[in-house]
Amino acid sequence: MKIAIIGNTGYIAGFLKDSLIKKNGIEIILIGRNMAADEFLDLNCVENFSFDALEDVDYILFAAAVSSPDICAQEFEKCWKTNVDGTSRFINEAMKRRCRILFFSSDAVYGDSKGMVYDERSKPKAITPYGKMKKEVEDRFTGSSYFKSIRLPYVVSANDKFMKYCLGCMKNHKKAEIFHPFYRNCITAGEITEIICWLLEHWETFSPPVLNAAGRELISRVRIADEINRIYKNQLQYDIIQSNHLFFANRHQITQMESIYLKMYQILEEKSFTERIKKELENVRL
C-alpha cells in the first residue's frame, strides 16, 4: 500500500508519518512545501505540481490547510484560496488518477447550538470562517467513492500546542494560564492513527462519506491540566482565565461531537480519557 501525506510539516501529518512508517507493507510519500518533502506542492500554485508522482498512490491523507481560526478570519480570501480552491484543484486531479482521498476536516463544520450533540447524521452549519472552508470542500466531493472525510476535534498528544505549553510551564516552574470554558470531544494522536488505519483497510465496505473522530467524553482544557497533574504529581500550577469575546470570535466555546460509526464498527477500544491521555504521555519525561 502506498500512501501520500499532504502537508508533511503540520501537526497531524507529523505524527501520522512517524506512526504509519513503522507499519509493514506501507510506503509513505511526503508532499508539502519544505525541503523534507519527497514532492513539492504549493496549494496556491497547484498547476506546478507533478501529478505523475501520484500514478501508483493508493491513498492520500490530505492534512494540509491554514488551520488557525483567527488567521482564516483575518485573511479570509487568501486562506480560501489555499484551503478551498487549491485544495479542490488538487483533489480533482488526484481523483482522476484513481487516488482515494481521506480529507481531514474539523468539528468546526458544526455550529454552536446550546445542548446540541452532533453526529454524522447532523446537518453541518458552519459559522466560523475556518469551518466554512472545511464544509465547502466536503460539499464539493461528498458522494464520490474516492472521497471520505474525517472530522477532527482537538487532538491531544505530547506535541500539541496546549500540551507543550503546559509541559513547558512545569519544566520552567511557571504558572500556566488556562482559558475556560473551552470544551471538545478530545481524541488522542494514537487513536487518530488507529482510526485511519482502520478506514484504509475497510475503505470499500465502510460506506458513510464522513466519520467523526470523537472521543466519548466532553473535555475542557482545565480537565487536561488536571490529568497532567495526576500523571506528574501536581507539578503544574495554573490560573483559570475567563476567555474574552476575542478568543471566541472565531471558535466555539463548546462543540459536542459524537460518532455513530466508531461504536457501531468497534473501531476503538472503550477507554476513559484518563487512560488515553496517560498512554499518550507515558514516554514523556520533563
Side-chain angles (χ1 to χ4, degrees):
M1 182 189 299
K2 190 170 185 179
I3 299 173
I5 299 178
I6 313 297
N8 67 303
T9 60
Y11 166 56
I12 300 294
F15 67 73
L16 286 177
K17 173 189 65 177
D18 293 339
S19 56
L20 291 176
I21 207 165
K22 299 174 184 177
K23 295 186 177 294
N24 293 331
I26 294 181
E27 180 183 353
I28 302 293
I29 175 173
L30 303 177
I31 299 176
R33 293 195 300 173
N34 78 331
M35 295 300 293
D38 299 304
E39 298 288 340
F40 181 83
L41 170 65
D42 183 346
L43 287 172
N44 294 316
C45 303
V46 174
E47 63 276 8
N48 294 332
F49 181 72
S50 177
F51 281 96
D52 290 344
L54 303 182
E55 291 297 341
D56 58 347
V57 168
D58 300 298
Y59 296 96
I60 294 175
L61 307 183
F62 201 102
V66 180
S67 59
S68 166
D70 296 322
I71 293 175
C72 286
Q74 294 161 8
E75 303 178 23
F76 184 82
E77 291 185 5
K78 181 180 178 181
C79 292
W80 186 278
K81 182 179 179 182
T82 301
N83 288 355
V84 179
D85 295 337
T87 294
S88 297
R89 285 197 295 271
F90 183 92
I91 291 174
N92 267 318
E93 291 298 323
M95 286 169 53
K96 289 178 184 177
R97 290 156 177 82
R98 300 182 180 276
C99 297
R100 298 174 180 88
I101 313 292
L102 183 58
F103 175 68
F104 288 78
S105 187
S106 167
D107 59 5
V109 302
Y110 298 117
D112 192 17
S113 299
K114 290 184 178 179
M116 185 70 180
V117 181
Y118 301 96
D119 62 31
E120 290 93 347
R121 297 169 300 189
S122 303
K123 185 177 180 180
K125 190 178 180 181
I127 297 171
T128 65
Y130 178 65
K132 290 178 180 178
M133 294 175 194
K134 289 296 186 181
K135 181 180 180 297
E136 178 66 23
V137 175
E138 287 190 7
D139 289 346
R140 291 186 183 189
F141 297 103
T142 296
S144 168
S145 61
Y146 290 102
F147 182 88
K148 294 187 189 296
S149 178
I150 180 170
R151 292 175 182 154
L152 303 181
Y154 175 54
V155 180
V156 177
S157 81
N159 292 313
D160 76 67
K161 288 182 180 179
F162 179 68
M163 188 69 72
K164 287 172 72 174
Y165 168 69
C166 290
L167 295 177
C169 286
M170 282 195 296
K171 184 176 180 179
N172 296 307
H173 306 290
K174 293 183 178 179
K175 183 174 285 189
E177 294 185 343
I178 299 176
F179 283 150
H180 187 75
F182 190 66
Y183 290 85
R184 296 293 186 269
N185 284 87
C186 299
I187 199 160
T188 65
E191 289 173 311
I192 291 295
T193 301
E194 288 184 51
I195 292 170
I196 289 168
C197 288
W198 188 95
L199 279 173
L200 300 187
E201 291 172 5
H202 298 84
W203 187 279
E204 301 298 338
T205 56
F206 182 75
S207 59
V210 62
L211 176 65
N212 289 350
R216 291 183 172 86
E217 298 173 70
L218 190 60
I219 302 296
S220 69
R221 286 185 173 182
V222 175
R223 167 73 182 278
I224 294 172
D226 289 340
E227 293 292 349
I228 290 172
N229 271 333
R230 291 180 73 175
I231 295 168
Y232 294 99
K233 299 180 180 179
N234 295 314
Q235 293 186 56
L236 177 64
Q237 301 298 311
Y238 65 83
D239 288 327
I240 296 175
I241 307 297
Q242 295 299 314
S243 304
N244 58 38
H245 69 282
L246 294 176
F247 181 78
F248 288 118
N250 303 305
R251 50 180 64 80
H252 304 310
Q253 286 189 0
I254 300 172
T255 299
Q256 191 163 2
M257 182 175 72
E258 65 181 10
S259 175
I260 303 166
Y261 306 121
L262 284 179
K263 187 172 183 179
M264 179 185 297
Y265 290 90
Q266 299 181 328
I267 297 173
L268 293 176
E269 292 182 43
E270 291 196 27
K271 291 182 179 179
S272 68
F273 183 69
T274 298
E275 293 174 288
R276 295 185 288 127
I277 194 172
K278 183 177 180 180
K279 180 174 175 59
E280 205 66 31
L281 294 174
E282 62 185 356
N283 295 317
V284 178
R285 300 289 180 268
L286 296 180

